[in-house]
Structures are given as structure tokens and as C-alpha cells.
Amino acid sequence: MLGDDDMRVIFHSQSKFPDLGALELFVRMVDVEGSSGGTAPNLPTGIIEGTSTAVPTRQPATPLVLSPSFAADLPVSGDDLGDGRSFGQLAAAMGADPVVDGAPAFMEVRERDPFVEAIGDDGSDSEPPIIGDESDADDDTAVAVGAQTHGSSGTQQYPRHFTTLNLEAINPAANLDQHHPVIHGERPSVIGTDEFEVGQRFETKEEAVLTIKSYNIRRGVEYKVFESDQLKYHGKCVQFGNGCNWLIRVTMRQRKGYWEVRKYNGPHTCLATEISMDHRQLDYHVICASILSLVMADASVSVKVLQNAVSSKFGFKPSYRKVWMGKQKAIAQIYGDWEESYNHIPRWIMGVQLYMPGTIALLRTSPVRIGNTVDASTVFFHRLFWTFPPCIEAFKYCKPLISIDGTHLYGKYGGTLLMAIAQDGNSNILPVAFGLVEGENTDSWKFFLTNLRQHVTPQPGILVISDRHNAIKAALLAEDGGWLPPSAYRAFCVRHIASNFALSYKSKEARRILVNAAYAKTEEDHRYYMDILRKEDPAMVAWCDRIGLELWTQYRDGGRRYGHMTTNISECINAVFKGTRNLPVGSLVKSTYGRLAELFVRKGKEAESQVGANQEFCQTLVKAIERNLQASRNMRVDLYDRGNSEFVVEELAPTAGRIAMSVCRVSLSARTCDCGNFQALHYPCRHVLAACSFCRLDWRTYVDDVYRMKTVFNVYKMGFSPPIHDDLLPVYEGPRVIPDPGMMRAAVGRPRKTRIRNSMDEADPDRPKRCGLCRTPGHTRRNCPQRPGASGSHEGSNA
């Protein structure tokens, strides 16, 4: 062999071609400096993560080695291999992975991430001699100096949460606008390849610690911290005094304002006794610095993807818990501290009510007790309800129904985000109110629904669509809630009804028939499906009767559903806010203002352009009318009562895919049709269109105003005011708001899932398959480009 890269290739070839069998290596130790044939690894010219911002002016006296055996010139005769070529040449001939800068591509040394300062203060990193799986269990949310510009104190535009992960974000080339000063104009060193040297300087302790950790991670060796405070940092190899003398001491030069290497014995002369999947120094501080750009590009990126990205970058696979903690710290660096974000809410409320008069924001807190006394200076965050004037005004022109649902928060602290969703006549979804509560219980739902009724939906006859949660039922039935008939009505989501049905009856065919019975618009159609259920099992029909027909069937809803049988509009909004549910609550609350402002601008422009083009009805209605006009051409109409505009419409051909009556009675004055579509959807069905055509009546007069473009335009007519900078917000002088410690997610172990999966989570057979890793359709986990070592997953791979 000719050098270090040949040694790397031999181990890589062994992993690629297991048929080679066991390897026997004969090592001859030689003097490195006296060797003329040894090859030192090529040094990359870029900056990699954790690098110091200054290096000594002279080169290290000792060349870089991965271990003493790698420093030697190890010739191999052609007889041993049957070929006189080097291992590098053999690898090229065999089509092995290319060698980049002296290392195989799968072990490529990445350049420095631009957010090196994201690493936290390592004063707590006095690791014990025994290496545990979760040595970094103590969270550290201190914000480094270099990351202050990303805190929650400004009104900067937060990164948009894309639906697909952009792995290029981890490449520092995508963040060239981030500037890092250099001490005294010296060029940065190359971490991972350069040895430390006495006199080497670092701007901060965080930078020095990250550089030391990265150095040891790259070499697969570990060290212990013996001293760490505000003035010094001292680490030794875990095998110090037992074959290795590696140690480093970095101290603070107070007069000059930088950290300096004062003592260094290196490089490592120890050898690893076993291969480990994890590394002690690969803690959540280092992980945070390496994934910061990924989290900034997409805050909803899954921990699995980040785990594989870290594994591709360092060659070690950290535990799920470490990566989760690293992501939480990265989010805190970008969006503000988790605990401080709660205290920012009162000031934001004062500010938003100042620049957006009419905003409703109601904060509820609970006292902090220390023993038997109450701490008057601090309170626990309990609940928050908020809505904005454009949302209140918009609901007046939406369909008179509301869909409510709750979704879990996935950040450092738990809780539930409650939302009320409306829909305009053009099928656009619009959130109108939000609530942050401790969970879905009767008190929290009553708090949300009472304020929703009082401030947003005071109109009579409003329909509420929800699941069958007992807490929602109790809140809606409260005497002082304002949701009792005839002021308001309630209905159940059919998907949740079917899911509850599946708990008692496992037949998928019976569940399908139940859904058809719910969607039936006439009593005859409903009875048809229920008779099928009765033949299969009479207990199924009895189960349905206990619910109440007016709560789950369309033909008995009195036309209040407008065709909405599920809470899908709420589920869609849950997906939209998925990128913010794992953020600090302060950023979550502020994001609702920004996203709604963008929604109103975009939908308002669309509605304005359609009104300007003299379009009378929205596109959703136009398409429905076109289908009904096509079907109405094959009908015979008989007029029976001219005064009351009552007709009998007979279909001359059967309607495909429907159980429809061949003859329907139509009353234009009562706005009813025996098919049920006229009164359920509030626009003319095919029978009504045939009757209007027979009498030369204008069918437009029988369309509900909610479908007119002028009404849709009024939904988005009121806009949002530009927010002012956080520094200009009013000063809050009340008690400090802190999160309830009981709401913190699991402190140790993998975070527990709060999603309870049921039959509603079953995959649709017609839905395209998605990758289990990146959730993108078109491929599987096996050939996902984001898995470790996949082609195109990182720089230097076999693209």
C-alpha cells in the first residue's frame, strides 16, 4: 500500500465485498517524517463545522494521522494481491466509491455549518467515565452570541415550512450570507484534519468546545472533561495514561478577549477496542449545530430525517433522544427560548391589540405556589384564546357552520391547539379562532367554545361539526354556552362515526354502508342502506339509532351542513399548521397572524380579479351547475301548481352511480326537491334546472348568496395591519408568565407519541405510497435519497 487512503479503501472494500473473507494486515512501523513514500491526507480548502476562526501562522510539526498504524508507509508486494497497483487504483478498477481528499465518499468530511455559534455552553459537559446512552440528558437552552439575531425579540420573517425537505440546506454554500468575523485577519483552520497547536485562538468557548468535540468525533476517539468553567476548558483522552497522552487545555485571555490553546499533547496514540454506533462527544449541542440549517429550512422536518443526516455527516448514529433534544435546541436558537416565549405572550397581546384594534386575546393563568404561599411575581400559563377582526368580519359571509378540532403540540412542552374553521362559498378554508389549552377536557373546550360563541359566531342557527368527544359534548350542552338549539345546532363527523363503529364491528363493508347511509340525501336512500345493515346484524342498526339521526345523517340535518359531513376542513388546517406545532408558543401564536395575513391577501386578490371579470358565481358553483345542466337535458317536466311553482320532473334515463327516484317533486317556492340536493346544498339540482328551463325562469335566483362572488370577496375584504417591531411593543409590567412544569414532555427516553391511531389512520388503497423516511411519494425507504449513504444525499456521494 502507498498511503492512508489505501488503508481506508481496504476496509471499504471489505464492507462492499464480503466474499473477500478475513483480512490479515502486516504492519511495519516507520518514522513518518523520514518516510518519503507516505502520503498524508489532502486537506480540504473549505471550512467545516466547528472550525476555529484563527490558526497559528506555522504548520503543525506532526502530520495528521488517524492512528499510529495509519502513519506508516506500508508497501504491499504485487504477489500478495496479484496486481502491482495501489489500493486506490484497484478501487477505481472495481468501481468502488470514489476517494475524495484522501477519504472514501461515504466517510467524507463535511465543511463547517455556518451556525457554529449555535452550540451551547459546555460548562455542564463534565462527562462521567462511564459512557451512557443519554449522557446529554440535561437540556441547555442558552442562546449563543452568534445566534442572537434569530431570537424571538424581532419581527423578522421566519423560514417558510416547505412540504418537502431540502437537504441542500445542510450545505453551508446555501448560507453564504452568514458572516463570521476572523480574529486579527487570520484565516480559519480546518477542523477534522488539522491538529491543535499551542497558541491557536478561538473567539468563544462555544467555538473551542465544538472544535474539540468535532476533532474527536472525526477520529472515533473519546475524551473526558476534567475542568470547565468561564475561564478554562481541560480535556483528556479516556485512555490517558494507558497508552495515550492526548490532552488539551484552552483558557480565556481576558485582556485580549479570546480563548487560546495553552497546552496540547497530541495526536491520539490510542486504538479503539470496538466499533460503536454512537459517540460520547456527539451530544445534542454538536447535533444542534449540524442540523440548524435543516431546521431553519423546515421546522417540521422529522427526527428520523435529522438522525440520518447526522449519521451521514459524522459516521455515527446518535440516539433518537439526542437528535430530538438537538432539534429542540435548534428551534430555540431560531425562534426563541422555550420558557421565555410564554412570557412574551402578554406583550404580544398588548401589541397586536394596539396595531390591530378589535383583536380578541384572552390569557388565563394559574398561581405559582411555593409551599403555602403564592408567588405574586410569577404565574403559570394556563389557556389562551385569540382571534383577529378580519376573521370575525369574514365569518359573516361564510357558510353558517363551523368545524372544531384539536391538535397536539409536539415541542418541548405539551398542550393542545384548538381551532375553529369556516369555509367560504368557493370552498376556501378559513381559520377564524384559536385556543391554546392544557388538553381536551370539558373546562378547556368550554373556555374555547364560550369565547368563540361570544366573539366570533353570535349568529343564530350556527351548526357545529365535531367528533364525539365527551368534553365537546359537555361544553356544547352547557346552559350558559349559547350552543343549545335553536340558537345553535351540533352534528357529528361521519369519519369519526365510522371509526367508532369499527371499534365494535370489524366489517369494512358494513362501515362503508354506514357512511353511505349518512351521506344519503333522502329518507328512502337512507332506509335502503340501513336495511342492508339490518340483514347483516340488527345490532348495527341499534348502535346507529342510539346516536340520533339528526346528528349524523344528511337528510335529517335541515340543510345546515351545506354538504359538509366531516371535519376534514379542520384536518387540513392541522396539516397546514404542522410546521408550527413543534415551535415555542410565542412563535406559534405570532405565526397565525402572519399566515392569516398572507391568506387574506392571496384569496382577496383572486376574488377581486373574478369580480372584476364580471363573474357572478364562484368557480365551485359554476362547475356544479354545468354538471347539473348536462343531466337536466334528459327529463320531462309537468307543471301542477303555477302559483306555488310546483312541478313533477321525470328522468327519462337512469342516473349512473346513484339510487335516485325516477320521478321527483320540485317546489321552487319552498326550495325543495325530492332528490334532497336542492335543500342540502342550497343551489339548484338537475331537477330544479329542468323546471326552470320549462317555465323560462332564471335559476340564478335560487342560488344561496354565499356562492356569489361579491359575497366571497367580502370574506377577504378586510385586511391585516403590518405588525410593528417587537422592540416598539408596549412594556408589560405584570407577573412573569412561565410554562407549567407538568406540561413538559418526557425528560428521559424517547418522547412518547400522543397520537392514538385508529381505523381513520388506515391508508387509502387509491392513495399513492409514501416513503417511510421523508414522507414523499414516488419511492420507498429502501431507495430514499435521504437515507445514509444514498446517492445524492450529501456532497461527494455517487451521484
Side-chain angles (χ1 to χ4, degrees):
M1 291 188 295
L2 299 179
D4 297 344
D5 41 342
D6 290 347
M7 180 62 76
R8 296 189 186 95
V9 171
I10 190 173
F11 287 109
H12 182 51
S13 301
Q14 170 69 11
S15 63
K16 288 286 187 179
F17 306 95
D19 295 335
L20 292 178
L23 296 178
E24 295 184 5
L25 301 180
F26 300 90
V27 182
R28 178 169 58 88
M29 304 298 295
V30 298
D31 186 3
V32 176
E33 297 192 10
S35 175
S36 59
T39 59
N42 297 325
L43 301 182
T45 58
I47 306 172
I48 70 172
E49 72 166 286
T51 182
S52 65
T53 55
V55 292
T57 55
R58 65 186 181 87
Q59 294 295 328
T62 305
L64 168 68
V65 293
L66 297 181
S67 70
S69 60
F70 286 5
D73 178 21
L74 304 176
V76 179
S77 66
D79 296 335
D80 295 333
L81 294 176
D83 196 332
R85 293 175 292 176
S86 68
F87 268 93
Q89 295 169 333
L90 287 173
M94 292 187 296
D97 291 321
V99 178
V100 181
D101 291 338
F106 77 102
M107 290 289 290
E108 180 196 7
V109 178
R110 284 283 191 153
E111 292 187 348
R112 165 187 167 184
D113 203 271
F115 297 98
V116 161
E117 291 79 359
I119 192 67
D121 185 5
D122 206 84
S124 61
D125 274 356
S126 299
E127 293 95 342
I130 300 177
I131 302 172
D133 181 58
E134 300 298 340
S135 61
D136 55 357
D138 294 333
D139 194 3
D140 183 3
T141 56
V143 180
V145 175
Q148 291 292 334
T149 56
H150 302 289
S152 62
S153 60
T155 55
Q156 72 278 3
Q157 291 294 328
Y158 290 146
R160 298 184 181 275
H161 311 302
F162 298 107
T163 56
T164 56
L165 175 63
N166 179 17
L167 276 182
E168 294 298 325
I170 203 170
N171 190 343
N175 299 280
L176 295 178
D177 58 335
Q178 299 294 332
H179 175 68
H180 296 278
V182 179
I183 300 179
H184 303 304
E186 297 174 349
R187 68 177 181 85
S189 66
V190 182
I191 180 63
T193 54
D194 279 350
E195 285 290 332
F196 295 100
E197 185 163 313
V198 175
Q200 187 171 350
R201 302 172 184 176
F202 304 91
E203 278 195 10
T204 63
K205 179 185 177 182
E206 290 77 20
E207 183 182 351
V209 172
L210 181 60
T211 306
I212 296 171
K213 288 183 177 181
S214 299
Y215 169 89
N216 286 272
I217 294 172
R218 301 294 185 188
R219 285 155 178 76
V221 292
E222 299 175 351
Y223 73 97
K224 292 187 293 185
V225 179
F226 284 85
E227 292 183 279
S228 179
D229 54 33
Q230 296 179 351
L231 299 178
K232 58 184 176 296
Y233 186 82
H234 182 201
K236 294 181 182 180
C237 177
V238 294
Q239 300 187 34
F240 186 83
N242 187 25
C244 183
N245 295 322
W246 187 93
L247 66 84
I248 189 169
R249 178 185 290 274
V250 185
T251 60
M252 172 65 179
R253 302 296 298 271
Q254 297 185 17
R255 293 184 178 181
K256 297 183 179 181
Y258 58 80
W259 287 70
E260 185 178 51
V261 178
R262 302 305 300 273
K263 185 176 182 180
Y264 179 66
N265 292 347
H268 284 276
T269 57
C270 57
L271 295 175
T273 58
E274 60 181 9
I275 298 177
S276 175
M277 292 295 293
D278 202 354
H279 195 284
R280 180 178 183 178
Q281 271 70 53
L282 187 57
D283 55 17
Y284 75 98
H285 301 297
V286 179
I287 294 172
C288 168
S290 65
I291 66 175
L292 192 65
S293 53
L294 279 176
V295 177
M296 178 171 288
D298 182 8
S300 64
V301 57
S302 69
V303 176
K304 284 286 189 181
V305 172
L306 297 178
Q307 193 176 26
N308 287 309
V310 173
S311 177
S312 299
K313 197 169 187 178
F314 292 103
F316 294 92
K317 188 173 183 179
S319 64
Y320 185 100
R321 179 70 190 182
K322 281 186 179 181
V323 181
W324 184 85
M325 293 176 65
K327 180 182 178 182
Q328 303 312 305
K329 182 173 182 178
I331 289 175
Q333 298 288 346
I334 301 170
Y335 296 95
D337 184 73
W338 289 94
E339 286 74 17
E340 186 61 28
S341 65
Y342 285 89
N343 192 45
H344 187 72
I345 291 178
R347 195 178 179 198
W348 174 83
I349 291 175
M350 298 170 60
V352 74
Q353 290 177 342
L354 178 65
Y355 59 75
M356 197 68 191
T359 298
I360 305 297
L362 305 174
L363 176 62
R364 297 291 181 266
T365 59
S366 57
V368 176
R369 298 185 180 276
I370 303 177
N372 295 327
T373 62
V374 176
D375 185 3
S377 63
T378 310
V379 293
F380 287 136
F381 175 89
H382 189 42
R383 295 169 185 153
L384 176 67
F385 173 89
W386 75 99
T387 185
F388 307 108
C391 299
I392 300 174
E393 187 68 19
F395 185 73
K396 299 177 182 179
Y397 303 98
C398 291
K399 298 175 182 177
L401 59 88
I402 208 83
S403 176
I404 58 175
D405 198 7
T407 180
H408 296 286
L409 302 184
Y410 297 128
K412 183 176 180 180
Y413 291 90
T416 303
L417 174 65
L418 306 181
M419 289 182 288
I421 314 299
Q423 190 183 60
D424 65 17
N426 202 22
S427 298
N428 295 315
I429 301 172
L430 175 66
V432 294
F434 304 90
L436 273 177
V437 296
E438 70 279 9
E440 293 192 71
N441 53 59
T442 302
D443 291 338
S444 62
W445 271 115
K446 186 176 180 180
F447 166 78
F448 178 74
L449 291 173
T450 301
N451 288 291
L452 175 67
R453 184 63 171 166
Q454 179 181 352
H455 300 291
V456 185
T457 62
Q459 298 88 342
I462 295 295
L463 179 71
V464 180
I465 304 178
S466 68
D467 55 31
R468 300 178 64 201
H469 200 289
N470 290 330
I472 299 178
K473 176 182 178 181
L476 292 175
L477 294 178
E479 295 292 339
D480 56 346
W483 294 101
L484 295 176
S487 298
Y489 300 88
R490 53 191 293 255
F492 292 146
C493 169
V494 173
R495 292 184 66 228
H496 287 87
I497 292 290
S499 177
N500 299 149
F501 180 84
L503 297 177
S504 302
Y505 306 99
K506 305 302 180 182
S507 173
K508 292 185 177 181
E509 180 64 19
R511 186 171 57 187
R512 184 186 65 82
I513 295 173
L514 173 70
V515 173
N516 289 339
Y519 274 88
K521 296 182 177 65
T522 65
E523 185 178 359
E524 290 75 11
D525 292 348
H526 173 79
R527 190 182 301 114
Y528 169 81
Y529 290 112
M530 296 305 290
D531 288 341
I532 298 177
L533 282 182
R534 187 175 288 104
K535 291 179 181 179
E536 183 171 348
D537 188 351
M540 296 180 180
V541 178
W543 186 92
C544 297
D545 291 340
R546 288 194 295 268
I547 301 176
L549 292 176
E550 67 281 356
L551 295 177
W552 68 283
T553 60
Q554 187 168 200
Y555 89 96
R556 290 285 295 272
D557 68 352
R560 301 183 186 92
R561 284 183 180 262
Y562 279 74
H564 292 274
M565 298 299 297
T566 67
T567 56
N568 283 353
I569 57 177
S570 297
E571 300 295 341
C572 292
I573 291 296
N574 288 345
V576 170
F577 279 91
K578 183 178 181 180
T580 61
R581 285 186 287 160
N582 58 343
L583 300 183
V585 294
S587 298
L588 188 153
V589 172
K590 289 197 293 186
S591 70
T592 59
Y593 189 93
R595 293 194 175 192
L596 283 173
E598 182 180 358
L599 174 67
F600 270 68
V601 170
R602 184 179 302 176
K603 295 302 179 182
K605 286 182 178 179
E606 294 178 2
E608 185 178 15
S609 62
Q610 295 180 36
V611 171
N614 296 323
Q615 296 185 15
E616 184 178 2
F617 299 107
C618 59
Q619 294 298 314
T620 302
L621 178 76
V622 171
K623 294 179 181 179
I625 292 296
E626 288 177 354
R627 292 192 299 267
N628 291 340
L629 283 173
Q630 183 70 24
S632 66
R633 296 174 180 175
N634 195 20
M635 295 184 182
R636 189 182 70 182
V637 180
D638 294 324
L639 175 61
Y640 277 79
D641 189 339
R642 179 176 296 272
N644 294 325
S645 300
E646 294 185 355
F647 305 83
V648 173
V649 181
E650 181 181 0
E651 297 182 4
L652 301 181
T655 304
R658 301 185 184 181
I659 305 174
M661 298 175 61
S662 59
V663 178
C664 291
R665 296 172 299 170
V666 175
S667 176
L668 297 181
S669 58
R671 300 201 175 203
T672 60
C673 178
D674 285 346
C675 72
N677 287 277
F678 192 18
Q679 50 268 41
L681 304 177
H682 301 276
Y683 59 78
C685 62
R686 61 189 186 277
H687 306 105
V688 172
L689 290 176
C692 290
S693 177
F694 178 80
C695 292
R696 304 184 64 84
L697 297 174
D698 188 0
W699 58 266
R700 295 175 178 84
T701 60
Y702 301 102
V703 177
D704 195 298
D705 287 341
V706 74
Y707 297 108
R708 300 184 184 273
M709 278 310 306
K710 290 183 178 179
T711 305
V712 176
F713 174 74
N714 287 332
V715 173
Y716 308 100
K717 187 175 182 179
M718 184 177 181
F720 285 76
S721 301
I724 61 177
H725 196 276
D726 284 3
D727 294 338
L728 302 178
L729 294 177
V731 178
Y732 171 67
E733 299 179 350
R736 176 180 175 82
V737 181
I738 63 174
D740 188 345
M743 297 302 297
M744 182 181 292
R745 291 166 68 86
V748 295
R750 179 169 177 168
R752 186 180 62 180
K753 291 184 177 180
T754 54
R755 172 78 175 177
I756 301 176
R757 302 185 66 86
N758 53 28
S759 59
M760 293 176 59
D761 298 302
E762 294 180 358
D764 185 354
D766 298 329
R767 188 175 182 179
K769 300 294 184 182
R770 292 180 178 269
C771 172
L773 179 62
C774 66
R775 307 305 302 164
T776 304
H779 62 268
T780 61
R781 182 190 294 266
R782 183 183 297 275
N783 55 6
C784 178
Q786 297 176 12
R787 65 184 176 86
S791 175
S793 62
H794 57 78
E795 200 174 274
S797 60
N798 298 332

